[in-house]
Amino acid sequence: MMKWLKGFFFTYVWIGVVLLLIAIVLDLFYPTTTRHYLGSIFINLLSSLGMAIVISAIFSFASGTSEFMEKIRGLLEDIVVSKKFLTNIAPKGKKEALKALIQPSSNDMNKYPNIGDYYGFFIDKTLEIEKKNVRSNYQVSTRAYFDESKNKIAIDGVYRYRLFPCANGFNDIIVGFEDKDSFCSVVSVSKPNGDKKNFKDPELIEMNENGDVSRKATIKINDFADKETHLDVELKIIEFGTDHWSLLQFKALQPTDGFNFTLRCDGNIEIRKHTIFVVDAKYNVDASECKKSFSVTCNQWINEGSGLVVLVSIPQS
């Protein structure tokens, strides 16, 4: 290949040089002041044609060398994989780029042809993050006690976290319960400058979703916090169990950067069982021997659906 390129290069270079020399000689023998205008056109045509052939021959030779190809490849890689380029492409283009980069090997495809759908599922989940708010510094502090007025175990909880906007701003805060007694007394939202808005006693509306009956309240915060870099949110909630036991659940409904959960039991209430649902993140559990306190700390990102369940009860004699 290189031998052919060298032959091509030298042949056409000489042709271009000859045409340039002919144009120079004609220009010397036939001065501009005495020659016909057609002669000037012909001489200029020869000169331009000779120069074009020389330049094209040089470029053709250079484009066939390994050094040139590596240089062009490097430039294309810098353009295509640069952060600025990838940030500015449309969502559909990002998805296609991820599909091109993240795909199963031919060996995997031969073993299980549908594995490509599995890769595509996680690509879709990744791209959905820009439509969701994310949280950090999630602190959950709860206390279990016996409510004499309702003759039930109650759990008083304070939930605090920092909320960051998605591409469309801040999504609504949704609070929900499955029983008729639990409620949220207040949702407080604070801006970075200290401005605070309290949404007291948000109205819980009964909903039936495929047979699952619950009561939910929707708190719209985007109008209050439009264009803010983040918000600090606090919810005060009281949940009720039965007369001798209660099941406390904590579940991350949004991508969350770490959390800390604590539970303290008053009176003769004790912690019986707990289960933690956290995948691909490390966490630490601290449970007292007296079964009166329990805490879980995770300092890594957790996905939606991660959380825990704690069963508390009054010992039966």
Side-chain angles (χ1 to χ4, degrees):
M1 181 66 180
M2 288 300 300
K3 184 177 180 181
W4 180 86
L5 282 173
K6 289 181 179 178
F8 175 87
F9 173 72
F10 288 115
T11 299
Y12 280 88
V13 165
W14 282 117
I15 291 175
V17 170
V18 169
L19 291 176
L20 285 172
L21 291 174
I22 292 174
I24 293 172
V25 170
L26 291 175
D27 187 55
L28 292 174
F29 276 90
Y30 300 98
T32 306
T33 55
T34 59
R35 67 178 177 236
H36 194 270
Y37 75 93
L38 291 177
S40 296
I41 294 175
F42 180 70
I43 292 172
N44 290 333
L45 179 62
L46 285 178
S47 178
S48 300
L49 185 60
M51 184 61 69
I53 292 174
V54 171
I55 293 174
S56 63
I58 293 173
F59 183 80
S60 297
F61 176 76
S63 63
T65 62
S66 59
E67 293 83 0
F68 180 84
M69 297 303 293
E70 287 298 324
K71 183 66 175 178
I72 294 299
R73 184 181 294 110
L75 290 173
L76 290 175
E77 288 177 352
D78 289 341
I79 294 172
V80 173
V81 303
S82 67
K83 182 178 179 181
K84 184 177 180 181
F85 176 81
L86 293 175
T87 301
N88 292 331
I89 62 176
K92 185 178 180 180
K94 289 181 182 179
K95 184 175 181 178
E96 294 302 322
L98 284 174
K99 282 185 175 180
L101 293 171
I102 306 174
Q103 57 182 324
S105 64
S106 299
N107 187 35
D108 291 336
M109 290 291 288
N110 291 332
K111 292 179 181 177
Y112 187 64
N114 291 334
I115 196 172
D117 296 337
Y118 182 69
Y119 279 73
F121 169 78
F122 283 100
I123 289 173
D124 291 338
K125 295 291 287 184
T126 301
L127 292 175
E128 286 176 1
I129 292 177
E130 66 178 4
K131 301 177 183 178
K132 301 174 181 178
N133 297 154
V134 296
R135 297 184 289 198
S136 69
N137 306 324
Y138 206 151
Q139 306 289 323
V140 182
S141 179
T142 59
R143 179 178 66 93
Y145 64 96
F146 191 80
D147 189 305
E148 298 288 348
S149 63
K150 292 187 177 292
N151 196 35
K152 293 180 179 181
I153 291 179
I155 298 178
D156 190 347
V158 179
Y159 297 72
R160 298 185 181 94
Y161 57 86
R162 177 159 289 182
L163 187 66
F164 295 87
C166 64
N168 299 321
F170 292 95
N171 297 327
D172 300 339
I173 296 175
I174 298 176
V175 182
F177 307 98
E178 295 180 352
D179 64 288
K180 63 179 182 179
D181 294 321
S182 300
F183 64 93
C184 174
S185 60
V186 64
V187 176
S188 301
V189 181
S190 300
K191 295 180 179 180
N193 65 1
D195 290 345
K196 183 177 181 180
K197 185 172 183 179
N198 292 323
F199 299 86
K200 294 183 178 181
D201 300 317
E203 182 182 3
L204 295 165
I205 300 174
E206 186 173 304
M207 296 184 177
N208 189 327
E209 299 173 335
N210 299 322
D212 294 330
V213 180
S214 62
R215 297 179 304 129
K216 292 183 179 180
T218 301
I219 299 95
K220 298 183 179 297
I221 60 173
N222 199 46
D223 292 340
F224 168 72
D226 188 29
K227 298 180 181 180
E228 297 293 343
T229 57
H230 68 266
L231 295 173
D232 289 315
V233 181
E234 179 181 279
L235 299 89
K236 293 183 178 180
I237 292 173
I238 295 182
E239 300 179 78
F240 290 93
T242 67
D243 60 347
H244 68 280
W245 66 271
S246 182
L247 192 65
L248 175 61
Q249 302 180 57
F250 162 69
K251 183 178 180 181
L253 300 178
Q254 298 163 312
T256 302
D257 186 10
F259 73 92
N260 176 258
F261 175 92
T262 61
L263 169 64
R264 175 172 58 88
C265 296
D266 291 349
N268 57 353
I269 299 174
E270 296 180 354
I271 298 169
R272 292 299 180 184
K273 297 285 185 181
H274 71 269
T275 302
I276 300 173
F277 306 96
V278 174
V279 180
D280 296 331
K282 295 181 180 180
Y283 57 87
N284 297 304
V285 179
D286 185 11
S288 65
E289 294 183 2
C290 64
K291 300 181 180 180
K292 287 292 187 179
S293 63
F294 172 81
S295 68
V296 180
T297 301
C298 177
N299 296 316
Q300 295 180 309
W301 280 94
I302 58 173
N303 297 321
E304 297 165 278
S306 300
L308 55 88
V309 176
V310 183
L311 175 64
V312 298
S313 69
I314 299 173
Q316 300 297 302
S317 57

